[in-house]
Amino acid sequence: MEKLAILWDSTALAHFETGQIVMMLVGFLLLYLAIVRKFEPLLLLPIGFGALLTNIPLAGFSEAGGLLYYVYKVGIDTGVFPLLIFMGVGALTDFGALIANPRMLLLGAAAQFGIFATLFGAIALNYIPGFEFTLKDASAIAIIGGADGPTAIFLASKLAPELLGAIAVAAYSYMALVPIIQPPIMKALTTQQEREIEMLQLREVSRREKIIFPLAVLLLTILFLPTATPLVGMFCLGNLMRESGVVDRLSNTAQNELINIVTIFLGLAVGSKLSADKFLTLETLGILGLGAVAFAIGTAAGVLMAKLMARFSSNPINPLIGAAGVSAVPMAARVVNKVGLQANPHNFLLMHAMGPNVAGVLGSAVAAGILLALVG
Amino acid sequence: MQQDIGQLLIEAATLLVAGMTFVFLFLTLLIGAIHVIAWINQRLGAEPTIEHAVAAPAANPTEPSQGVISAISAAVHQYRKQHR
């Protein structure tokens, strides 16, 4: 009888807490979203599975000595994983469309309004009893509006590690929801005529310009915003490997094998932060709500800026491309293209939207650097 | 407590203004930099664009050029026609 009691005691059934069961259900929900609904499956699948593993009673995945504990310590606590991913993103990014039409950088800048406005909103939430966001917490939450997973994780790991799970899940969920969140805002702020505007063909960009560009970005960051150099530096390294054309092997590794390996561990480590005591809180609800607001404001600011630019520009500008300023590469640019085609079946905006789209990546990295410098 | 939040709100508003100003200044500077790069690029004169760079290996002296290959294949074709 005593043996039976010991045996019972060694099963998970005897140790399940309600919180763990709820978090496992959250894990299953993420797996469902990834597998059935195809929401950012590359990240939500490992995150969902990480959530399952970390909530297993007695297994101790996320306690000192457990696998996920070390993966988190090595990769996210240090900021290494998001930076390696950023290098891969740099190697995947073609700045040609931006170099051909550099004014698109202004759209990438305008869309960052979503970040800073949300920061304000997060602090204002403190008026509701139960919320106690510090300025650091608010900054880490606001960066969801940058629509850039690695940037959000990097900043959250530096400013508010205890909120990281919720922030990462919100960031990736909303990036998957871009095709649902953005079009109504884009349509509400533009007229049919504006959406039909066709833009001029972009000029051809030489290889030399593409090689000098990442170096110039890095130089400016070094001079004016050193706190952003971890993100921008790795991004520029990846991009230089791509454009220089002399290290194709390294470039291919950065944009395929390396980014894939890191993605597996990044997802698992983020999932390990989905424990009941950290996730089942009122704050998580606040973070999910604020994330959606950040996305919406960023999109609106981008579109409005594009309308303003169209007024002063000699070349026609379709205001829809402003929505691509909220990074989320390349999903946001595809959404712009789709909404443009709905208004005018002969209007292909994809290349024009790629400019503000990659500008948005730079913009959110710069915004992250500013937040680190002023709040960190 | 309420006063604390007020203080934080003022700080957040300062961040909003300072942050947006800096983002715009930085990216405007980058626009200038891109224009300078484009200008320098033009001054340096015609450079093989990416398309040309890809085509360039054909000019490798150890490999026969496109013209030579087509001339040879035309000759072989004719030879086979005559010596059937």
Side-chain angles (χ1 to χ4, degrees), chain A residues 102 109 116-117 120 123 126-127 135 204 206 208-209 213 220 224 370 374, chain B residues 2 5 9 11 15-16 20 22 29-31 34 38 41 44-45 47 51:
Chain A
F116 292 101
F120 195 76
I123 295 293
N126 281 345
Y127 279 113
L135 214 50
E204 205 171 311
S206 74
R208 192 154 51 199
E209 285 172 280
F213 179 76
L220 283 180
F224 297 107
I370 294 169
L374 297 181
Chain B
Q2 295 280 319
I5 299 175
L9 274 179
E11 260 182 81
L15 265 178
L16 179 114
M20 280 315 285
F22 194 92
L29 219 57
L30 196 53
I31 295 178
I34 294 176
N41 190 50
L44 285 175
E47 176 237 25
E51 279 71 32

PDB file of all heavy atoms in Angstrom, chain A residues 102 109 116-117 120 123 126-127 135 204 206 208-209 213 220 224 370 374, chain B residues 2 5 9 11 15-16 20 22 29-31 34 38 41 44-45 47 51:
ATOM      1  N   PRO A 102      14.551  56.891 -51.163  1.00  0.00           N
ATOM      2  CA  PRO A 102      14.913  57.011 -49.740  1.00  0.00           C
ATOM      3  C   PRO A 102      13.882  57.742 -48.882  1.00  0.00           C
ATOM      4  O   PRO A 102      13.865  57.566 -47.668  1.00  0.00           O
ATOM      5  CB  PRO A 102      16.246  57.763 -49.761  1.00  0.00           C
ATOM      6  CG  PRO A 102      16.375  58.350 -51.118  1.00  0.00           C
ATOM      7  CD  PRO A 102      15.564  57.512 -52.036  1.00  0.00           C
ATOM      8  N   ALA A 109       9.528  55.926 -40.162  1.00  0.00           N
ATOM      9  CA  ALA A 109       9.642  56.703 -38.918  1.00  0.00           C
ATOM     10  C   ALA A 109       8.257  56.983 -38.343  1.00  0.00           C
ATOM     11  O   ALA A 109       8.025  56.825 -37.136  1.00  0.00           O
ATOM     12  CB  ALA A 109      10.380  58.010 -39.192  1.00  0.00           C
ATOM     13  N   PHE A 116       5.470  54.785 -29.354  1.00  0.00           N
ATOM     14  CA  PHE A 116       5.548  55.800 -28.301  1.00  0.00           C
ATOM     15  C   PHE A 116       4.167  56.163 -27.752  1.00  0.00           C
ATOM     16  O   PHE A 116       4.030  56.466 -26.564  1.00  0.00           O
ATOM     17  CB  PHE A 116       6.304  57.028 -28.822  1.00  0.00           C
ATOM     18  CG  PHE A 116       7.755  56.740 -29.070  1.00  0.00           C
ATOM     19  CD1 PHE A 116       8.225  56.513 -30.351  1.00  0.00           C
ATOM     20  CD2 PHE A 116       8.651  56.662 -28.023  1.00  0.00           C
ATOM     21  CE1 PHE A 116       9.560  56.223 -30.583  1.00  0.00           C
ATOM     22  CE2 PHE A 116       9.988  56.369 -28.243  1.00  0.00           C
ATOM     23  CZ  PHE A 116      10.439  56.150 -29.524  1.00  0.00           C
ATOM     24  N   ALA A 117       3.152  56.105 -28.618  1.00  0.00           N
ATOM     25  CA  ALA A 117       1.795  56.379 -28.137  1.00  0.00           C
ATOM     26  C   ALA A 117       1.346  55.282 -27.167  1.00  0.00           C
ATOM     27  O   ALA A 117       0.679  55.545 -26.159  1.00  0.00           O
ATOM     28  CB  ALA A 117       0.829  56.479 -29.311  1.00  0.00           C
ATOM     29  N   PHE A 120       2.663  55.678 -23.694  1.00  0.00           N
ATOM     30  CA  PHE A 120       1.800  56.605 -22.965  1.00  0.00           C
ATOM     31  C   PHE A 120       0.550  55.874 -22.454  1.00  0.00           C
ATOM     32  O   PHE A 120       0.166  55.999 -21.287  1.00  0.00           O
ATOM     33  CB  PHE A 120       1.419  57.743 -23.926  1.00  0.00           C
ATOM     34  CG  PHE A 120       0.850  58.933 -23.255  1.00  0.00           C
ATOM     35  CD1 PHE A 120       1.661  59.821 -22.572  1.00  0.00           C
ATOM     36  CD2 PHE A 120      -0.512  59.175 -23.310  1.00  0.00           C
ATOM     37  CE1 PHE A 120       1.127  60.932 -21.962  1.00  0.00           C
ATOM     38  CE2 PHE A 120      -1.053  60.286 -22.698  1.00  0.00           C
ATOM     39  CZ  PHE A 120      -0.233  61.168 -22.024  1.00  0.00           C
ATOM     40  N   ILE A 123       1.150  53.527 -19.431  1.00  0.00           N
ATOM     41  CA  ILE A 123       1.239  54.256 -18.157  1.00  0.00           C
ATOM     42  C   ILE A 123      -0.156  54.682 -17.710  1.00  0.00           C
ATOM     43  O   ILE A 123      -0.515  54.592 -16.530  1.00  0.00           O
ATOM     44  CB  ILE A 123       2.170  55.477 -18.299  1.00  0.00           C
ATOM     45  CG1 ILE A 123       3.608  55.037 -18.584  1.00  0.00           C
ATOM     46  CG2 ILE A 123       2.131  56.335 -17.047  1.00  0.00           C
ATOM     47  CD1 ILE A 123       4.283  54.300 -17.455  1.00  0.00           C
ATOM     48  N   ASN A 126      -2.348  52.499 -15.619  1.00  0.00           N
ATOM     49  CA  ASN A 126      -2.101  52.422 -14.182  1.00  0.00           C
ATOM     50  C   ASN A 126      -3.241  53.020 -13.361  1.00  0.00           C
ATOM     51  O   ASN A 126      -3.363  52.751 -12.181  1.00  0.00           O
ATOM     52  CB  ASN A 126      -0.798  53.144 -13.826  1.00  0.00           C
ATOM     53  CG  ASN A 126       0.419  52.289 -14.148  1.00  0.00           C
ATOM     54  OD1 ASN A 126       0.279  51.093 -14.375  1.00  0.00           O
ATOM     55  ND2 ASN A 126       1.580  52.885 -14.177  1.00  0.00           N
ATOM     56  N   TYR A 127      -4.080  53.867 -14.007  1.00  0.00           N
ATOM     57  CA  TYR A 127      -5.225  54.429 -13.291  1.00  0.00           C
ATOM     58  C   TYR A 127      -6.237  53.354 -12.929  1.00  0.00           C
ATOM     59  O   TYR A 127      -7.026  53.513 -12.012  1.00  0.00           O
ATOM     60  CB  TYR A 127      -5.891  55.524 -14.135  1.00  0.00           C
ATOM     61  CG  TYR A 127      -5.170  56.846 -14.044  1.00  0.00           C
ATOM     62  CD1 TYR A 127      -4.521  57.378 -15.149  1.00  0.00           C
ATOM     63  CD2 TYR A 127      -5.133  57.554 -12.839  1.00  0.00           C
ATOM     64  CE1 TYR A 127      -3.848  58.580 -15.060  1.00  0.00           C
ATOM     65  CE2 TYR A 127      -4.456  58.751 -12.754  1.00  0.00           C
ATOM     66  CZ  TYR A 127      -3.813  59.270 -13.858  1.00  0.00           C
ATOM     67  OH  TYR A 127      -3.146  60.454 -13.753  1.00  0.00           O
ATOM     68  N   LEU A 135       7.879  52.554 -15.956  1.00  0.00           N
ATOM     69  CA  LEU A 135       8.263  53.093 -17.257  1.00  0.00           C
ATOM     70  C   LEU A 135       8.986  52.029 -18.090  1.00  0.00           C
ATOM     71  O   LEU A 135       8.820  51.946 -19.309  1.00  0.00           O
ATOM     72  CB  LEU A 135       9.163  54.323 -17.052  1.00  0.00           C
ATOM     73  CG  LEU A 135       9.032  55.445 -18.076  1.00  0.00           C
ATOM     74  CD1 LEU A 135       7.583  55.831 -18.295  1.00  0.00           C
ATOM     75  CD2 LEU A 135       9.847  56.648 -17.655  1.00  0.00           C
ATOM     76  N   GLU A 204      16.891  51.651 -61.033  1.00  0.00           N
ATOM     77  CA  GLU A 204      17.740  50.504 -60.720  1.00  0.00           C
ATOM     78  C   GLU A 204      18.829  50.940 -59.737  1.00  0.00           C
ATOM     79  O   GLU A 204      19.358  52.039 -59.834  1.00  0.00           O
ATOM     80  CB  GLU A 204      18.372  49.987 -62.006  1.00  0.00           C
ATOM     81  CG  GLU A 204      18.747  48.538 -61.934  1.00  0.00           C
ATOM     82  CD  GLU A 204      19.163  48.035 -63.320  1.00  0.00           C
ATOM     83  OE1 GLU A 204      18.419  48.282 -64.287  1.00  0.00           O
ATOM     84  OE2 GLU A 204      20.222  47.425 -63.405  1.00  0.00           O
ATOM     85  N   SER A 206      22.563  50.263 -57.998  1.00  0.00           N
ATOM     86  CA  SER A 206      23.794  49.535 -58.300  1.00  0.00           C
ATOM     87  C   SER A 206      24.263  48.739 -57.090  1.00  0.00           C
ATOM     88  O   SER A 206      23.879  49.020 -55.952  1.00  0.00           O
ATOM     89  CB  SER A 206      24.887  50.499 -58.747  1.00  0.00           C
ATOM     90  OG  SER A 206      25.355  51.204 -57.615  1.00  0.00           O
ATOM     91  N   ARG A 208      27.197  48.720 -55.879  1.00  0.00           N
ATOM     92  CA  ARG A 208      28.051  49.536 -55.020  1.00  0.00           C
ATOM     93  C   ARG A 208      27.220  50.254 -53.937  1.00  0.00           C
ATOM     94  O   ARG A 208      27.580  50.298 -52.777  1.00  0.00           O
ATOM     95  CB  ARG A 208      28.809  50.552 -55.879  1.00  0.00           C
ATOM     96  CG  ARG A 208      29.922  51.260 -55.154  1.00  0.00           C
ATOM     97  CD  ARG A 208      30.998  51.732 -56.111  1.00  0.00           C
ATOM     98  NE  ARG A 208      30.447  52.497 -57.220  1.00  0.00           N
ATOM     99  CZ  ARG A 208      31.093  52.705 -58.375  1.00  0.00           C
ATOM    100  NH1 ARG A 208      32.255  52.192 -58.580  1.00  0.00           N
ATOM    101  NH2 ARG A 208      30.532  53.418 -59.326  1.00  0.00           N
ATOM    102  N   GLU A 209      26.071  50.804 -54.360  1.00  0.00           N
ATOM    103  CA  GLU A 209      25.212  51.495 -53.393  1.00  0.00           C
ATOM    104  C   GLU A 209      24.716  50.534 -52.317  1.00  0.00           C
ATOM    105  O   GLU A 209      24.642  50.875 -51.137  1.00  0.00           O
ATOM    106  CB  GLU A 209      24.004  52.099 -54.105  1.00  0.00           C
ATOM    107  CG  GLU A 209      24.315  53.343 -54.909  1.00  0.00           C
ATOM    108  CD  GLU A 209      23.136  53.767 -55.742  1.00  0.00           C
ATOM    109  OE1 GLU A 209      22.940  53.173 -56.819  1.00  0.00           O
ATOM    110  OE2 GLU A 209      22.401  54.660 -55.304  1.00  0.00           O
ATOM    111  N   PHE A 213      25.465  51.016 -48.339  1.00  0.00           N
ATOM    112  CA  PHE A 213      24.320  51.358 -47.489  1.00  0.00           C
ATOM    113  C   PHE A 213      24.411  50.803 -46.060  1.00  0.00           C
ATOM    114  O   PHE A 213      24.313  51.571 -45.099  1.00  0.00           O
ATOM    115  CB  PHE A 213      23.012  50.927 -48.162  1.00  0.00           C
ATOM    116  CG  PHE A 213      21.799  51.228 -47.347  1.00  0.00           C
ATOM    117  CD1 PHE A 213      21.311  52.520 -47.259  1.00  0.00           C
ATOM    118  CD2 PHE A 213      21.156  50.234 -46.627  1.00  0.00           C
ATOM    119  CE1 PHE A 213      20.200  52.814 -46.492  1.00  0.00           C
ATOM    120  CE2 PHE A 213      20.046  50.512 -45.863  1.00  0.00           C
ATOM    121  CZ  PHE A 213      19.569  51.807 -45.788  1.00  0.00           C
ATOM    122  N   LEU A 220      26.161  55.841 -38.903  1.00  0.00           N
ATOM    123  CA  LEU A 220      25.243  56.798 -38.268  1.00  0.00           C
ATOM    124  C   LEU A 220      24.827  56.312 -36.889  1.00  0.00           C
ATOM    125  O   LEU A 220      24.735  57.095 -35.941  1.00  0.00           O
ATOM    126  CB  LEU A 220      24.001  56.992 -39.141  1.00  0.00           C
ATOM    127  CG  LEU A 220      24.173  57.877 -40.372  1.00  0.00           C
ATOM    128  CD1 LEU A 220      22.865  57.970 -41.127  1.00  0.00           C
ATOM    129  CD2 LEU A 220      24.637  59.266 -39.963  1.00  0.00           C
ATOM    130  N   PHE A 224      25.386  58.341 -33.442  1.00  0.00           N
ATOM    131  CA  PHE A 224      24.278  59.022 -32.775  1.00  0.00           C
ATOM    132  C   PHE A 224      23.500  58.160 -31.783  1.00  0.00           C
ATOM    133  O   PHE A 224      22.807  58.686 -30.919  1.00  0.00           O
ATOM    134  CB  PHE A 224      23.306  59.592 -33.819  1.00  0.00           C
ATOM    135  CG  PHE A 224      23.951  60.629 -34.679  1.00  0.00           C
ATOM    136  CD1 PHE A 224      24.278  60.336 -35.994  1.00  0.00           C
ATOM    137  CD2 PHE A 224      24.261  61.872 -34.166  1.00  0.00           C
ATOM    138  CE1 PHE A 224      24.891  61.286 -36.789  1.00  0.00           C
ATOM    139  CE2 PHE A 224      24.869  62.820 -34.954  1.00  0.00           C
ATOM    140  CZ  PHE A 224      25.190  62.534 -36.268  1.00  0.00           C
ATOM    141  N   ILE A 370      16.488  54.057 -28.650  1.00  0.00           N
ATOM    142  CA  ILE A 370      16.114  55.261 -27.889  1.00  0.00           C
ATOM    143  C   ILE A 370      15.552  54.865 -26.529  1.00  0.00           C
ATOM    144  O   ILE A 370      15.914  55.435 -25.494  1.00  0.00           O
ATOM    145  CB  ILE A 370      15.079  56.081 -28.677  1.00  0.00           C
ATOM    146  CG1 ILE A 370      15.714  56.638 -29.951  1.00  0.00           C
ATOM    147  CG2 ILE A 370      14.520  57.208 -27.826  1.00  0.00           C
ATOM    148  CD1 ILE A 370      14.736  57.228 -30.916  1.00  0.00           C
ATOM    149  N   LEU A 374      17.039  55.951 -22.960  1.00  0.00           N
ATOM    150  CA  LEU A 374      16.329  56.867 -22.066  1.00  0.00           C
ATOM    151  C   LEU A 374      15.719  56.180 -20.841  1.00  0.00           C
ATOM    152  O   LEU A 374      15.560  56.804 -19.790  1.00  0.00           O
ATOM    153  CB  LEU A 374      15.219  57.586 -22.839  1.00  0.00           C
ATOM    154  CG  LEU A 374      15.685  58.494 -23.985  1.00  0.00           C
ATOM    155  CD1 LEU A 374      14.511  59.161 -24.650  1.00  0.00           C
ATOM    156  CD2 LEU A 374      16.656  59.543 -23.473  1.00  0.00           C
TER     157      LEU A 374
ATOM    158  N   GLN B   2      -1.904  58.547  -7.215  1.00  0.00           N
ATOM    159  CA  GLN B   2      -2.396  59.268  -8.387  1.00  0.00           C
ATOM    160  C   GLN B   2      -1.345  60.256  -8.901  1.00  0.00           C
ATOM    161  O   GLN B   2      -1.140  60.407 -10.091  1.00  0.00           O
ATOM    162  CB  GLN B   2      -3.678  60.024  -8.020  1.00  0.00           C
ATOM    163  CG  GLN B   2      -4.842  59.115  -7.655  1.00  0.00           C
ATOM    164  CD  GLN B   2      -5.538  58.554  -8.871  1.00  0.00           C
ATOM    165  OE1 GLN B   2      -5.742  59.261  -9.825  1.00  0.00           O
ATOM    166  NE2 GLN B   2      -5.894  57.288  -8.839  1.00  0.00           N
ATOM    167  N   ILE B   5       1.379  58.502 -10.809  1.00  0.00           N
ATOM    168  CA  ILE B   5       0.988  58.187 -12.182  1.00  0.00           C
ATOM    169  C   ILE B   5       1.074  59.437 -13.049  1.00  0.00           C
ATOM    170  O   ILE B   5       1.552  59.399 -14.178  1.00  0.00           O
ATOM    171  CB  ILE B   5      -0.429  57.583 -12.228  1.00  0.00           C
ATOM    172  CG1 ILE B   5      -0.453  56.279 -11.422  1.00  0.00           C
ATOM    173  CG2 ILE B   5      -0.852  57.307 -13.651  1.00  0.00           C
ATOM    174  CD1 ILE B   5      -1.824  55.663 -11.287  1.00  0.00           C
ATOM    175  N   LEU B   9       3.135  59.849 -16.344  1.00  0.00           N
ATOM    176  CA  LEU B   9       2.501  60.245 -17.602  1.00  0.00           C
ATOM    177  C   LEU B   9       3.285  61.384 -18.252  1.00  0.00           C
ATOM    178  O   LEU B   9       3.483  61.386 -19.481  1.00  0.00           O
ATOM    179  CB  LEU B   9       1.064  60.685 -17.356  1.00  0.00           C
ATOM    180  CG  LEU B   9       0.017  59.563 -17.347  1.00  0.00           C
ATOM    181  CD1 LEU B   9      -1.362  60.125 -17.078  1.00  0.00           C
ATOM    182  CD2 LEU B   9       0.029  58.805 -18.667  1.00  0.00           C
ATOM    183  N   GLU B  11       6.431  61.920 -17.864  1.00  0.00           N
ATOM    184  CA  GLU B  11       7.657  61.321 -18.397  1.00  0.00           C
ATOM    185  C   GLU B  11       7.389  60.603 -19.709  1.00  0.00           C
ATOM    186  O   GLU B  11       8.175  60.680 -20.657  1.00  0.00           O
ATOM    187  CB  GLU B  11       8.236  60.329 -17.387  1.00  0.00           C
ATOM    188  CG  GLU B  11       9.377  60.906 -16.572  1.00  0.00           C
ATOM    189  CD  GLU B  11       9.942  59.870 -15.617  1.00  0.00           C
ATOM    190  OE1 GLU B  11      10.742  59.049 -16.087  1.00  0.00           O
ATOM    191  OE2 GLU B  11       9.551  59.861 -14.437  1.00  0.00           O
ATOM    192  N   LEU B  15       8.944  61.233 -23.373  1.00  0.00           N
ATOM    193  CA  LEU B  15       9.533  60.166 -24.190  1.00  0.00           C
ATOM    194  C   LEU B  15       8.929  60.162 -25.572  1.00  0.00           C
ATOM    195  O   LEU B  15       9.616  59.970 -26.578  1.00  0.00           O
ATOM    196  CB  LEU B  15       9.274  58.810 -23.529  1.00  0.00           C
ATOM    197  CG  LEU B  15      10.362  58.240 -22.634  1.00  0.00           C
ATOM    198  CD1 LEU B  15       9.900  56.932 -22.033  1.00  0.00           C
ATOM    199  CD2 LEU B  15      11.627  58.016 -23.440  1.00  0.00           C
ATOM    200  N   LEU B  16       7.587  60.365 -25.627  1.00  0.00           N
ATOM    201  CA  LEU B  16       6.883  60.343 -26.907  1.00  0.00           C
ATOM    202  C   LEU B  16       7.444  61.413 -27.833  1.00  0.00           C
ATOM    203  O   LEU B  16       7.816  61.143 -28.975  1.00  0.00           O
ATOM    204  CB  LEU B  16       5.386  60.560 -26.667  1.00  0.00           C
ATOM    205  CG  LEU B  16       4.512  60.578 -27.905  1.00  0.00           C
ATOM    206  CD1 LEU B  16       3.583  59.395 -27.888  1.00  0.00           C
ATOM    207  CD2 LEU B  16       3.704  61.834 -28.022  1.00  0.00           C
ATOM    208  N   MET B  20       9.976  60.386 -30.915  1.00  0.00           N
ATOM    209  CA  MET B  20       9.557  60.594 -32.297  1.00  0.00           C
ATOM    210  C   MET B  20      10.479  61.588 -32.995  1.00  0.00           C
ATOM    211  O   MET B  20      10.837  61.402 -34.157  1.00  0.00           O
ATOM    212  CB  MET B  20       8.104  61.096 -32.343  1.00  0.00           C
ATOM    213  CG  MET B  20       7.055  60.009 -32.173  1.00  0.00           C
ATOM    214  SD  MET B  20       7.357  58.524 -33.128  1.00  0.00           S
ATOM    215  CE  MET B  20       6.906  59.047 -34.771  1.00  0.00           C
ATOM    216  N   PHE B  22      13.617  62.111 -32.381  1.00  0.00           N
ATOM    217  CA  PHE B  22      14.894  61.472 -32.684  1.00  0.00           C
ATOM    218  C   PHE B  22      14.768  60.503 -33.847  1.00  0.00           C
ATOM    219  O   PHE B  22      15.620  60.463 -34.733  1.00  0.00           O
ATOM    220  CB  PHE B  22      15.438  60.754 -31.443  1.00  0.00           C
ATOM    221  CG  PHE B  22      16.884  60.377 -31.606  1.00  0.00           C
ATOM    222  CD1 PHE B  22      17.887  61.237 -31.182  1.00  0.00           C
ATOM    223  CD2 PHE B  22      17.238  59.187 -32.217  1.00  0.00           C
ATOM    224  CE1 PHE B  22      19.212  60.911 -31.351  1.00  0.00           C
ATOM    225  CE2 PHE B  22      18.570  58.855 -32.398  1.00  0.00           C
ATOM    226  CZ  PHE B  22      19.551  59.719 -31.961  1.00  0.00           C
ATOM    227  N   LEU B  29      18.429  61.947 -41.545  1.00  0.00           N
ATOM    228  CA  LEU B  29      19.874  61.934 -41.769  1.00  0.00           C
ATOM    229  C   LEU B  29      20.249  60.802 -42.722  1.00  0.00           C
ATOM    230  O   LEU B  29      21.091  60.959 -43.619  1.00  0.00           O
ATOM    231  CB  LEU B  29      20.567  61.723 -40.414  1.00  0.00           C
ATOM    232  CG  LEU B  29      21.844  62.487 -40.126  1.00  0.00           C
ATOM    233  CD1 LEU B  29      21.591  63.972 -40.255  1.00  0.00           C
ATOM    234  CD2 LEU B  29      22.337  62.161 -38.721  1.00  0.00           C
ATOM    235  N   LEU B  30      19.578  59.670 -42.530  1.00  0.00           N
ATOM    236  CA  LEU B  30      19.857  58.504 -43.373  1.00  0.00           C
ATOM    237  C   LEU B  30      19.428  58.782 -44.815  1.00  0.00           C
ATOM    238  O   LEU B  30      20.107  58.357 -45.766  1.00  0.00           O
ATOM    239  CB  LEU B  30      19.112  57.287 -42.810  1.00  0.00           C
ATOM    240  CG  LEU B  30      19.569  55.925 -43.311  1.00  0.00           C
ATOM    241  CD1 LEU B  30      21.057  55.745 -43.131  1.00  0.00           C
ATOM    242  CD2 LEU B  30      18.833  54.828 -42.561  1.00  0.00           C
ATOM    243  N   ILE B  31      18.319  59.535 -44.988  1.00  0.00           N
ATOM    244  CA  ILE B  31      17.907  59.908 -46.349  1.00  0.00           C
ATOM    245  C   ILE B  31      19.020  60.700 -47.008  1.00  0.00           C
ATOM    246  O   ILE B  31      19.420  60.430 -48.149  1.00  0.00           O
ATOM    247  CB  ILE B  31      16.612  60.762 -46.309  1.00  0.00           C
ATOM    248  CG1 ILE B  31      15.458  59.924 -45.778  1.00  0.00           C
ATOM    249  CG2 ILE B  31      16.288  61.298 -47.700  1.00  0.00           C
ATOM    250  CD1 ILE B  31      14.159  60.698 -45.648  1.00  0.00           C
ATOM    251  N   ILE B  34      21.805  58.450 -48.017  1.00  0.00           N
ATOM    252  CA  ILE B  34      21.535  57.675 -49.236  1.00  0.00           C
ATOM    253  C   ILE B  34      21.748  58.552 -50.474  1.00  0.00           C
ATOM    254  O   ILE B  34      22.317  58.112 -51.472  1.00  0.00           O
ATOM    255  CB  ILE B  34      20.104  57.102 -49.213  1.00  0.00           C
ATOM    256  CG1 ILE B  34      19.975  56.076 -48.096  1.00  0.00           C
ATOM    257  CG2 ILE B  34      19.772  56.450 -50.547  1.00  0.00           C
ATOM    258  CD1 ILE B  34      18.579  55.523 -47.929  1.00  0.00           C
ATOM    259  N   ALA B  38      24.348  57.892 -53.466  1.00  0.00           N
ATOM    260  CA  ALA B  38      23.937  57.856 -54.872  1.00  0.00           C
ATOM    261  C   ALA B  38      24.765  58.838 -55.688  1.00  0.00           C
ATOM    262  O   ALA B  38      25.178  58.536 -56.816  1.00  0.00           O
ATOM    263  CB  ALA B  38      22.457  58.184 -54.992  1.00  0.00           C
ATOM    264  N   ASN B  41      28.233  57.558 -56.101  1.00  0.00           N
ATOM    265  CA  ASN B  41      28.155  56.435 -57.029  1.00  0.00           C
ATOM    266  C   ASN B  41      28.131  56.929 -58.471  1.00  0.00           C
ATOM    267  O   ASN B  41      28.772  56.363 -59.351  1.00  0.00           O
ATOM    268  CB  ASN B  41      26.905  55.616 -56.721  1.00  0.00           C
ATOM    269  CG  ASN B  41      26.885  54.319 -57.480  1.00  0.00           C
ATOM    270  OD1 ASN B  41      27.861  53.585 -57.467  1.00  0.00           O
ATOM    271  ND2 ASN B  41      25.795  54.060 -58.161  1.00  0.00           N
ATOM    272  N   LEU B  44      31.578  58.282 -59.505  1.00  0.00           N
ATOM    273  CA  LEU B  44      32.539  57.211 -59.759  1.00  0.00           C
ATOM    274  C   LEU B  44      32.332  56.598 -61.129  1.00  0.00           C
ATOM    275  O   LEU B  44      33.117  55.791 -61.589  1.00  0.00           O
ATOM    276  CB  LEU B  44      32.436  56.136 -58.677  1.00  0.00           C
ATOM    277  CG  LEU B  44      33.043  56.527 -57.333  1.00  0.00           C
ATOM    278  CD1 LEU B  44      32.794  55.449 -56.302  1.00  0.00           C
ATOM    279  CD2 LEU B  44      34.536  56.782 -57.474  1.00  0.00           C
ATOM    280  N   GLY B  45      31.224  56.980 -61.762  1.00  0.00           N
ATOM    281  CA  GLY B  45      30.992  56.535 -63.126  1.00  0.00           C
ATOM    282  C   GLY B  45      30.308  55.196 -63.196  1.00  0.00           C
ATOM    283  O   GLY B  45      30.046  54.551 -62.183  1.00  0.00           O
ATOM    284  N   GLU B  47      29.222  51.689 -63.222  1.00  0.00           N
ATOM    285  CA  GLU B  47      29.787  50.533 -62.541  1.00  0.00           C
ATOM    286  C   GLU B  47      28.953  49.347 -62.981  1.00  0.00           C
ATOM    287  O   GLU B  47      27.773  49.503 -63.271  1.00  0.00           O
ATOM    288  CB  GLU B  47      29.666  50.750 -61.036  1.00  0.00           C
ATOM    289  CG  GLU B  47      30.122  49.621 -60.192  1.00  0.00           C
ATOM    290  CD  GLU B  47      29.014  49.154 -59.277  1.00  0.00           C
ATOM    291  OE1 GLU B  47      27.828  49.375 -59.619  1.00  0.00           O
ATOM    292  OE2 GLU B  47      29.309  48.556 -58.255  1.00  0.00           O
ATOM    293  N   GLU B  51      23.230  42.923 -62.695  1.00  0.00           N
ATOM    294  CA  GLU B  51      23.011  42.072 -63.867  1.00  0.00           C
ATOM    295  C   GLU B  51      24.325  41.849 -64.618  1.00  0.00           C
ATOM    296  O   GLU B  51      24.664  40.753 -64.995  1.00  0.00           O
ATOM    297  CB  GLU B  51      21.970  42.688 -64.797  1.00  0.00           C
ATOM    298  CG  GLU B  51      20.545  42.460 -64.383  1.00  0.00           C
ATOM    299  CD  GLU B  51      20.198  43.267 -63.137  1.00  0.00           C
ATOM    300  OE1 GLU B  51      20.767  44.376 -62.962  1.00  0.00           O
ATOM    301  OE2 GLU B  51      19.401  42.784 -62.337  1.00  0.00           O
TER     302      GLU B  51
END
